[in-house]
């Protein structure tokens, strides 16, 4: 495939010595790490409030189970456990908050090495990725975490003469690990349309290939859900079903991209034929 003079000029403008690339990389890393550190400090300052916010789905589940949501209790069994839980929560929140800045810095670093049409194609996915992640996180917060906690609360046992009292008293670190695992799993799964669309746009994947592998994708969805989620069927099915739906969305998105590329290719061919015909037309003054 030939490269036009305009593309060659754009490549020459973007070319730079290695030392300049390293300086640019250092600057982008400083901005990314600085943004993450500031977001980490803010989240750590509000760590207890953020943790109380994450406990709200647990309260909803308690209410669904017919218990008093005001008596929700979590424990920690080591003196430093709650402190490190707050640190972990601040790191997770800092990464989520700083992700748009980090993604922007990555884009600014690689953008000079891309063609203009490649930059225009990459930018929408850069915007769609955090939106889809927030959609997955919202689904976890408002639906699946309460459902999972309700499932676990239903296993409690009331003490009688014939049986002992068994109550759920989750540790703060284990509860945070559970909800962070669910948020990360769903957020990662919701990136499926973005990844497949990018691979389709660069020609490494096709909608037909995705459709042919649909059966394997369904099996793999349940396997991944079993690995990433807690060992209960509710959360596993809750992750596997959206994954299958998103896989179908990915097939549809790939087909739309292929149709758009086919129209652009046809338009370029017609434009090329029109210019060649115009160049072969004899000048009226010469006749």
């Amino acid at each position: 495939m030939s490269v036009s003079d305009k593309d060659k000029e754009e490549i020459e403008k973007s070319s730079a010595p290695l030392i300049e690339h390293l300086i640019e990389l250092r600057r982008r890393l400083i901005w990314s790490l600085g943004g993450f550190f500031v977001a980490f400090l803010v989240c750590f300052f509000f760590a207890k409030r953020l943790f109380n916010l994450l406990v709200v789905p647990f309260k909803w589940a308690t209410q669904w189970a017919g218990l008093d949501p005001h008596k929700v209790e979590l424990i920690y069994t080591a003196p430093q456990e709650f402190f490190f839980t707050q640190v972990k929560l601040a790191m997770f929140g800092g990464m989520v908050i700083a992700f748009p800045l980090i993604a922007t810095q990555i884009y600014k670093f690689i953008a000079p090495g891309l063609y203009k049409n490649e930059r225009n194609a990459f930018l929408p996915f850069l915007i769609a990725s955090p939106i889809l992640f927030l959609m997955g996180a919202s689904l976890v917060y408002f639906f699946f975490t309460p459902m999972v906690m309700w499932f676990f609360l239903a296993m409690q046992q009331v003490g009688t003469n014939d049986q002992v009292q068994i109550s759920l008293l989750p540790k703060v670190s284990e509860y945070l690990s559970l909800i962070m695992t669910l948020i990360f799993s769903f957020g990662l799964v919701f990136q499926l349309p973005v990844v497949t669309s990018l691979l389709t746009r660069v020609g490494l994947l096709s909608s037909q290939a995705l459709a042919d592998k649909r059966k394997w994708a369904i099996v793999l969805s349940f396997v991944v859900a079993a690995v990433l989620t807690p060992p209960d069927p509710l959360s596993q099915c809750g992750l596997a079903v959206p994954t299958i739906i998103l896989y179908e969305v990915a097939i549809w998105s790939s087909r739309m991209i292929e149709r758009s590329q086919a129209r652009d290719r046809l338009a370029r061919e017609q434009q090329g034929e029109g210019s060649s015909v115009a160049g072969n037309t004899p000048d009226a003054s010469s006749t």
Side-chain angles (χ1 to χ4, degrees), residues 7-61:
D7 291 336
K8 290 180 180 179
E9 183 180 354
E10 192 172 349
I11 293 175
E12 291 176 358
K13 289 181 179 179
S14 64
S15 61
L18 177 61
I19 188 64
E20 294 185 13
H21 284 297
L22 293 176
I23 293 174
E24 178 70 13
L25 177 61
R26 183 186 64 179
R27 184 171 61 185
R28 300 304 174 191
L29 286 175
I30 290 174
W31 273 101
S32 300
L33 293 176
F36 168 74
F37 184 70
V38 172
F40 169 79
L41 292 179
V42 173
C43 291
F44 185 75
F45 182 78
F46 295 102
K48 289 186 178 180
R49 297 184 182 180
L50 291 174
F51 191 85
N52 289 328
L53 186 64
L54 293 178
V55 176
V56 172
F58 188 15
K59 293 182 178 180
W60 293 340

Side-chain angles (χ1 to χ4, degrees), residues 176-195:
L176 180 64
S177 298
L178 171 64
I179 195 168
M180 283 176 55
T181 300
L182 289 173
I183 290 176
F184 178 78
S185 302
F186 277 77
L188 189 64
V189 166
F190 270 64
Q191 303 303 312
L192 183 61
V194 174
V195 175

Side-chain angles (χ1 to χ4, degrees), residues 277-287:
V277 171
N280 295 329
T281 302
D283 192 357
S285 59
S286 63
T287 58

Side-chain angles (χ1 to χ4, degrees), residues 67-82:
L67 304 174
D68 187 2
H70 300 289
K71 293 184 179 180
V72 172
E73 183 180 0
L74 286 84
I75 63 172
Y76 61 95
T77 57
Q80 74 280 6
E81 181 179 347
F82 190 42

Side-chain angles (χ1 to χ4, degrees), residues 115-136:
Y115 295 128
K116 184 178 180 180
N117 60 336
E118 292 175 339
R119 292 196 295 266
N120 295 334
F122 187 77
L123 190 58
F125 297 107
L126 190 64
I127 299 173
S129 182
I131 294 177
L132 289 173
F133 184 87
L134 290 177
M135 289 176 60

